[in-house]
């Protein structure tokens, strides 16, 4: 069911691994299938060129192949150019994908966009968005529990989100004994603490 190009990237994926001291790091998951990608960027702060990009995949063959191609398309491009890469560019480069696997290429592009946004927010380059509870919730949907392969909103770990004068107040249902606890708390800060307009993130646990 896969093209030769898909099989090539699945069996010999490019840019696999982790970047130590990366400038941006995201974990993106697919609600459709529970698969996940970790993506790391190294960006030249002067030229804003993506100098290195690496990934780890916890997904299907198409997930690996589409992420591999996406990293090849993004490497060497400026952040602005990389933002314009679409999932269709990925499927085209692979000579097509079965319809039920198109979402794998969407996940690869979502990860790229989230990593770029993560970099821009950390470096004060992001265009300010009107901060709202729904934006915060949508960002929290990108915090994945690696054990369950689902996001913390779907898993109802996030019980409530409030926003008061730039202070984000989260009510979280998670115990310190949960093996994903440290990862989840760290990822929450990575995803929302840098959003322009967020002054502080307060977490209450039940
Ligand atoms: Fe989940 Fe491909 S089926 S990313």
């Amino acid at each position: 069911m896969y093209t030769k190009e898909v099989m090539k990237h699945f069996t010999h994926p490019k840019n696999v691994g982790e970047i130590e001291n990366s400038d941006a790091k995201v974990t993106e998951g697919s609600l459709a299938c529970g698969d996940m990608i970790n993506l790391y960027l190294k960006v030249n702060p002067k030229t804003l060129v993506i100098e290195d990009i690496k990934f780890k995949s916890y997904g299907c063959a198409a997930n690996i192949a589409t992420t591999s191609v996406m990293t090849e398309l993004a490497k060497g491009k400026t952040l602005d150019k990389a933002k314009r890469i679409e999932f269709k560019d990925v499927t085209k480069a692979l000579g097509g994908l079965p319809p039920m696997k198109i979402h794998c290429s969407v996940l690869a592009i979502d990860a790229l966009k989230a990593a770029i946004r993560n970099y821009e927010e950390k470096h004060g380059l992001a265009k300010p968005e009107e901060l709202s509870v729904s934006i915060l919730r949508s960002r929290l949907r990108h915090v994945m529990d690696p054990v369950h392969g689902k996001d913390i909103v779907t898993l109802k770990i996030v019980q409530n989100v409030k926003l008061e004068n730039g202070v984000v107040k989260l009510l979280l249902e998670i115990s310190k004994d949960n093996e994903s606890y440290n990862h989840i708390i760290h990822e929450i800060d990575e995803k929302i603490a840098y959003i322009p307009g967020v002054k502080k993130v307060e977490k209450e646990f039940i």
Side-chain angles (χ1 to χ4, degrees), residues 2 30 32-36 59-63 100-101 103-105 107:
Y2 290 128
S30 159
C33 65
D35 290 342
M36 272 194 282
C60 69
N63 177 311
M100 62 180 295
K101 291 289 176 182
H103 80 267
C104 314
S105 60
L107 175 60

Side-chain angles (χ1 to χ4, degrees), residues 6 15 30 32 41 112 125 129 136 140 142 194 199:
V6 173
N15 303 310
S30 159
L41 299 184
L112 176 63
L125 301 169
E129 259 177 312
L136 294 167
L140 290 167
H142 292 122
Y194 300 104
K199 292 187 191 133

Side-chain angles (χ1 to χ4, degrees), residues 39-120:
L39 188 66
Y40 308 82
L41 299 184
K42 196 87 201 155
V43 178
N44 182 314
K46 289 205 180 102
T47 59
L48 298 182
V49 164
I50 298 174
E51 292 188 333
D52 200 6
I53 177 165
K54 286 207 174 3
F55 77 100
K56 284 185 176 170
S57 160
Y58 305 87
C60 69
N63 177 311
I64 295 167
T66 53
T67 312
S68 169
V69 161
M70 175 278 284
T71 60
E72 286 208 303
L73 293 174
K75 198 168 181 174
K77 286 202 170 67
T78 60
L79 297 179
D80 274 346
K81 282 201 176 140
K83 273 187 221 168
R84 281 184 236 133
I85 303 171
E86 294 181 25
F87 78 89
K88 287 183 200 141
D89 301 319
V90 171
T91 48
K92 198 168 146 207
L94 287 169
L97 275 173
M100 62 180 295
K101 291 289 176 182
I102 297 288
H103 80 267
C104 314
S105 60
V106 174
L107 175 60
I109 291 298
D110 280 353
L112 176 63
K113 298 216 158 123
I116 293 173
R117 194 176 57 224
N118 182 258
Y119 180 89
E120 290 184 331

